[in-house]
Amino acid sequence: MDWGSLQGVLSGVNKYSTGFGRIWLSVVFIFRVLVYVVAAESVWGDEQSDFVCNTLQPGCPNTCYDHYFPMSHIRIWALQLICITTPSLLVVLHVAYRKEREKKHKMKHGENCTRLYKNMGKKHGGLWWTYLMSLLFKTGFEAGFLYVLHSIYHQFYLPRLVKCSMFPCPNIVDCFIAKPTEKRVFTYFMVGGSGLCIILNLSEIFYLVFKRCFQGCKKTVKKEEISMSKKRRNLIFQNSIEKQNPVEFN
């Protein structure tokens, strides 16, 4: 898999991300993709050939391996990294849509016409919702893959020895996992990185929502102040007219 091309595409997301989003992208590519490519793949290697059982019964080691490792860690992490990075492309596509719309608007009304968007990458309107949805998708994928990994491998733990009695094994046989301690360390590291990304995504969601609420409250207060100032001006104007044209009472 060419992770470099994926990094090149997602680097464009940095222009439209908040500070939390930039930290998230750095964590993904430095502490997860880089560790996955440089170390994790070589540590796991050919897992099935390194899974040794103390029996010569044909098919027994394969059956036991499939029972204890229904899905490889490496493939789960590869699928997870693809799923959590893909939603970020929604933001890039939305900005590209804005640029194309702006281009067509200028072709129709001329170069000196009023722009549809003052800032293409500013998160307001539909782009704000697209950005928020991408964060929700990323958080959901992260939590989902952690749950799958936790369910399959029982609290992310890899034992040195497993006992198997699956058919066609003649009896309970002992099977040994290659480099279990090293694999356990990398598993905990990748799980920790995933947990950190979830925290960053949730922090960014809260930041966006609170910022939006604060801006909404600020606009409401400003409108009320403008309305009050207009009322004061009208009241002053009416008082000045009454002073200029006093009403005589009998």
Side-chain angles (χ1 to χ4, degrees):
M1 182 177 294
D2 188 4
W3 294 106
S5 60
L6 180 61
Q7 182 180 9
V9 172
L10 291 178
S11 294
V13 182
N14 264 340
K15 296 185 293 184
Y16 317 116
S17 300
T18 64
F20 291 107
R22 295 186 181 94
I23 296 173
W24 175 86
L25 195 60
S26 300
V27 170
V28 167
F29 280 103
I30 295 175
F31 294 102
R32 298 180 70 180
V33 174
L34 195 60
V35 170
Y36 175 88
V37 173
V38 174
E41 283 185 317
S42 60
V43 169
W44 260 261
D46 188 2
E47 301 172 65
Q48 191 164 356
S49 63
D50 296 333
F51 187 79
V52 181
C53 297
N54 59 351
T55 181
L56 297 177
Q57 177 69 28
C60 179
N62 293 340
T63 305
C64 293
Y65 177 82
D66 183 66
H67 176 71
Y68 285 103
F69 296 94
M71 189 171 184
S72 169
H73 285 70
I74 292 296
R75 290 172 180 83
I76 290 177
W77 290 332
L79 187 60
Q80 181 182 12
L81 289 171
I82 292 171
C83 289
I84 65 170
T85 52
T86 301
S88 298
L89 298 178
L90 294 174
V91 180
V92 178
L93 292 174
H94 197 131
V95 174
Y97 163 76
R98 280 187 168 187
K99 290 180 179 178
E100 184 64 23
R101 190 180 175 195
E102 186 70 39
K103 182 180 177 182
K104 290 180 179 179
H105 180 73
K106 287 184 178 180
M107 289 175 62
K108 184 177 181 180
H109 300 284
E111 290 292 331
N112 297 324
C113 65
T114 305
R115 297 182 61 181
L116 293 175
Y117 306 101
K118 294 181 181 180
N119 186 354
M120 296 288 184
K122 188 174 181 180
K123 290 181 285 295
H124 62 82
L127 185 59
W128 187 88
W129 286 104
T130 301
Y131 195 90
L132 184 65
M133 290 301 296
S134 71
L135 291 174
L136 292 174
F137 279 131
K138 287 190 289 187
T139 306
F141 282 131
E142 291 276 22
F145 277 100
L146 281 181
Y147 176 77
V148 169
L149 195 64
H150 182 274
S151 299
I152 294 175
Y153 295 108
H154 308 292
Q155 301 180 356
F156 317 112
Y157 183 76
L158 284 175
R160 292 182 173 86
L161 169 69
V162 293
K163 295 185 179 293
C164 179
S165 59
M166 303 292 293
F167 179 82
C169 298
N171 46 38
I172 299 176
V173 298
D174 296 332
C175 296
F176 302 90
I177 301 172
K179 298 179 283 188
T181 303
E182 195 171 8
K183 290 179 180 179
R184 199 180 305 140
V185 170
F186 275 104
T187 300
Y188 290 152
F189 187 87
M190 295 296 282
V191 169
S194 183
L196 178 59
C197 287
I198 290 176
I199 293 173
L200 289 171
N201 287 332
L202 292 176
S203 300
E204 191 169 13
I205 290 172
F206 288 133
Y207 168 75
L208 289 173
V209 172
F210 285 136
K211 184 179 179 182
R212 186 69 175 265
C213 293
F214 176 76
Q215 289 175 345
C217 294
K218 193 175 180 180
K219 286 181 180 179
T220 303
V221 171
K222 191 174 181 180
K223 286 180 180 179
E224 289 179 355
E225 289 178 351
I226 293 173
S227 177
M228 290 295 293
S229 62
K230 285 182 179 179
K231 289 181 180 179
R232 288 195 194 99
R233 285 198 299 268
N234 291 335
L235 184 60
I236 293 171
F237 180 72
Q238 289 176 0
N239 290 335
S240 63
I241 292 177
E242 289 177 357
K243 288 180 180 179
Q244 292 175 0
N245 302 297
V247 179
E248 294 182 358
F249 294 95
N250 294 327

